[in-house]
Amino acid sequence: MKSNDNSFWKSKKITEFTPLEWELLCDGCALCCLIRIQDEDTDELFTTNVGCKLLDVQTCRCMDYINRFDKVNYCLSLSPELVTQLEWLPKTCAYRLIAEEKELPYWHHLVSGSRKTVHDCGISAMGRIISERYVKSDELFDYIVDWWE
């Protein structure tokens, strides 16, 4: 495994990251791009294997990252404050790990040197999701999964 000489995530607090460093922290797993639904009776939150309409399910990348907030009203802009509040963020999420002062795993591209490692190790949503373009909103409960954690 390749070690990154510029380990900014080890020498800075998460609130000190530059915008570029913040973006670099994303591992590209696309797990945060999965549709979540809430049971109206219990308020329980469920994750589906349905990805946002802008998510390229083959690459786990947003097809219009720059304009995502204009095109998807439920897309969140993660911030250091928000990542500490979102309990549904996967335990593997680099933002969550750094906020919890934990190490990045070996498969993270900043450690491994390759953006493919997250997919090769089966950490990402790649190969397990469908686009919301093909799912009716009243069918979302049929797509609930538990593998995302």
Side-chain angles (χ1 to χ4, degrees), residues 91-106:
K91 293 175 178 78
T92 57
C93 176
Y95 293 109
R96 180 176 177 167
L97 290 171
I98 297 301
E100 293 172 351
E101 299 182 359
K102 295 180 180 174
E103 293 290 323
L104 291 179
Y106 73 93

Side-chain angles (χ1 to χ4, degrees), residues 28-31 34 49-51 55-61 118-120 122-131 145 147:
C29 71
L31 296 177
L34 299 178
N49 66 338
V50 179
L55 183 66
D56 180 328
V57 299
Q58 302 300 318
T59 64
C60 288
R61 304 299 290 176
V118 67
H119 308 301
D120 293 344
I123 305 301
S124 77
M126 187 177 280
R128 302 188 279 181
I129 53 178
I130 183 172
S131 173
V145 294
W147 52 255

Side-chain angles (χ1 to χ4, degrees), residues 38-98:
Q38 192 165 22
D39 184 295
E40 292 177 2
D41 297 326
T42 66
D43 286 337
E44 189 174 0
L45 195 63
F46 298 96
T47 300
T48 69
N49 66 338
V50 179
C52 164
K53 66 183 177 183
L54 293 180
L55 183 66
D56 180 328
V57 299
Q58 302 300 318
T59 64
C60 288
R61 304 299 290 176
C62 184
M63 294 184 286
D64 195 0
Y65 190 76
I66 300 294
N67 299 304
R68 67 193 185 281
F69 300 122
D70 295 328
K71 294 185 175 184
V72 179
N73 64 353
Y74 57 85
C75 186
L76 292 177
S77 178
L78 291 180
S79 66
E81 297 76 27
L82 193 55
V83 297
T84 62
Q85 298 169 17
L86 298 176
E87 294 179 14
W88 55 260
L89 277 177
K91 293 175 178 78
T92 57
C93 176
Y95 293 109
R96 180 176 177 167
L97 290 171
I98 297 301

